[in-house]
Amino acid sequence: MEDLAVKTGAPKAAHSPAAGHNWPRNNGMDLDLGWVLDQRVNLSAAERRVATLPGRRTVKKDAQAAWLLKAVTCIDLTTLNGDDTTERVKRLCAKARQPVRQDLLDALGMGGRGITTGAVCVYHRFVSTAVEALDGSGIPVAAVSTGFPAGLIPHDVKLREIEASVADGAKEIDIVITREHVLTGNWQALYDEMRDFRAACGDAHVKAILATGDLKTLRNVARASLVCMMAGADFIKTSTGKEGVNATLLVTLVMLRMIRAYQEQTGLKVGYKPAGGISAAKDILNYQFLMKDELGREWLEPDLFRIGASSLLADIERQLEHHVTGAYSALNRHPIG
């Protein structure tokens, strides 16, 4: 089979993890309360935009396989369970190194392209385990921090947790904001908190988890997105995966438009990470389409797009096997960790 990216014109599925983040860090800006408070969301227009997306965008066969392989390179392969163990994390890291079976990659003409996941995401306790297991792969370790998932521990403890994860080798830190700051409109407190988190991360990239399902309104989502970017977030992320409602296309649209507005104002590119509830290959395609439509081709790369997921990878591999063989296999033939 020809190289899928060449044959279909779809996003190139190649990924060189050792290249790391290619865009300049988001150093942030002073809090502009006027800009924050000006944010409004036209709910009916946003709902129409999202509802029409599947009908206007579709890919089949080789093109679909290429888009799905690109999605693999953007996955933050994640385990955040109470029963996590060292061995589970090691198995997850092995899957991150070889996320798609070699025979499938060979059949797709992608066997030598070095495809890996974008990162491995774990609790602080397992950062050093993951760093050791991924040694030499170029795959970064992301640590959830700041009292994940609720974020209701003392502020100084949050900062020490970030610093400990960075010291153990985490290259990315997924922080959780204090939702109360958003719900009470205390934007200065949210800005100050995020600035402290950014400083504690040092050279590690910081992803701000908004927990959008807890923020009540799309206006709050828009304002929180903007404040976190002003304070230096390198990525904004929808959810911890533990809320009642996690990533949705509607919330994604709002956050992407805030990223676009921030870039237009500052010239800085901020990444986006949907997380929670994305488990089907057909669903991630819609997120990719929306990313490309709203922000452009650059935001389909792991430097600017990550997907917080675990079971999604199994379904993508299953869809790729169907593309190659014409038959679906059971999900239990595609273990993650």
Side-chain angles (χ1 to χ4, degrees):
M1 183 178 291
E2 294 178 59
D3 183 307
L4 291 179
V6 174
K7 182 176 180 180
T8 67
K12 292 182 179 179
H15 176 42
S16 178
H21 296 273
N22 294 319
W23 303 114
R25 296 291 300 277
N26 172 29
N27 291 320
M29 56 179 283
D30 292 338
L31 177 63
D32 185 341
L33 272 176
W35 188 14
V36 173
L37 296 177
D38 278 347
Q39 298 310 309
R40 302 289 187 275
V41 177
N42 185 328
L43 179 59
S44 60
E47 289 175 334
R48 284 196 304 272
R49 171 76 173 92
V50 168
T52 59
L53 182 66
R56 292 187 298 106
R57 278 279 202 171
T58 185
V59 288
K60 300 293 185 183
K61 299 182 178 180
D62 284 348
Q64 183 181 86
W67 280 82
L68 291 178
L69 281 172
K70 173 54 68 178
V72 168
T73 71
C74 297
I75 291 176
D76 281 3
L77 197 58
T78 301
T79 184
L80 297 171
N81 302 310
D83 60 352
D84 282 345
T85 65
T86 297
E87 291 306 312
R88 175 183 288 173
V89 171
K90 289 179 179 178
R91 291 194 300 272
L92 193 77
C93 292
K95 187 64 175 177
R97 285 175 174 268
Q98 181 72 58
V100 179
R101 290 199 335 250
Q102 190 62 45
D103 62 305
L104 297 180
L105 292 175
D106 290 342
L108 292 167
M110 304 294 289
R113 301 296 287 271
I115 291 175
T116 72
T117 64
V120 167
C121 185
V122 294
Y123 280 114
H124 165 71
R125 173 175 172 176
F126 299 106
V127 169
S128 59
T129 298
V131 168
E132 182 179 355
L134 294 170
D135 184 42
S137 70
I139 303 170
V141 173
V144 294
S145 191
T146 62
F148 179 96
L152 293 177
I153 61 175
H155 186 65
D156 63 317
V157 177
K158 294 178 183 180
L159 299 181
R160 290 201 299 272
E161 186 179 17
I162 291 172
E163 291 164 354
S165 291
V166 173
D168 279 356
K171 299 299 183 185
E172 301 173 4
I173 304 293
D174 290 28
I175 62 91
V176 288
I177 66 168
T178 300
R179 282 73 129 178
E180 181 184 5
H181 296 333
V182 179
L183 297 174
T184 59
N186 193 344
W187 304 112
Q188 185 67 56
L190 177 62
Y191 178 86
D192 292 344
E193 175 183 67
M194 187 67 228
R195 289 296 282 181
D196 285 349
F197 294 160
R198 172 70 161 77
C201 286
D203 291 337
H205 284 236
V206 57
K207 307 190 196 93
I209 308 173
L210 305 186
T212 54
D214 289 344
L215 299 188
K216 309 304 182 186
T217 69
L218 291 177
R219 180 186 296 179
N220 278 345
V221 171
R223 290 175 173 177
S225 298
L226 193 54
V227 171
C228 285
M229 289 187 288
M230 288 177 176
D234 296 298
F235 271 72
I236 51 175
K237 174 180 172 182
T238 59
S239 320
T240 66
K242 311 296 186 181
E243 291 85 56
V245 178
N246 294 292
T248 67
L249 287 172
L250 188 59
V251 160
T252 295
L253 177 64
V254 172
M255 294 175 71
L256 297 187
R257 290 190 172 173
M258 288 299 95
I259 290 173
R260 187 171 68 194
Y262 184 77
Q263 186 200 13
E264 290 171 351
Q265 181 76 13
T266 67
L268 296 168
K269 296 179 173 72
V270 172
Y272 175 68
K273 179 178 174 179
I278 305 173
S279 58
K282 62 182 177 62
D283 293 334
I284 197 56
L285 289 170
N286 286 325
Y287 283 90
Q288 289 174 291
F289 297 157
L290 195 59
M291 291 285 290
K292 187 171 186 295
D293 286 351
E294 293 292 328
L295 296 176
R297 173 65 183 82
E298 293 170 331
W299 268 266
L300 293 178
E301 297 295 334
D303 286 336
L304 292 171
F305 182 42
R306 296 292 182 82
I307 308 149
S310 53
S311 57
L312 172 65
L313 179 55
D315 192 51
I316 289 178
E317 191 174 30
R318 184 170 175 259
Q319 298 301 325
L320 293 173
E321 182 170 2
H322 176 266
H323 178 69
V324 169
T325 68
Y328 280 111
S329 63
L331 275 174
N332 61 17
R333 294 190 62 243
H334 304 277
I336 298 301

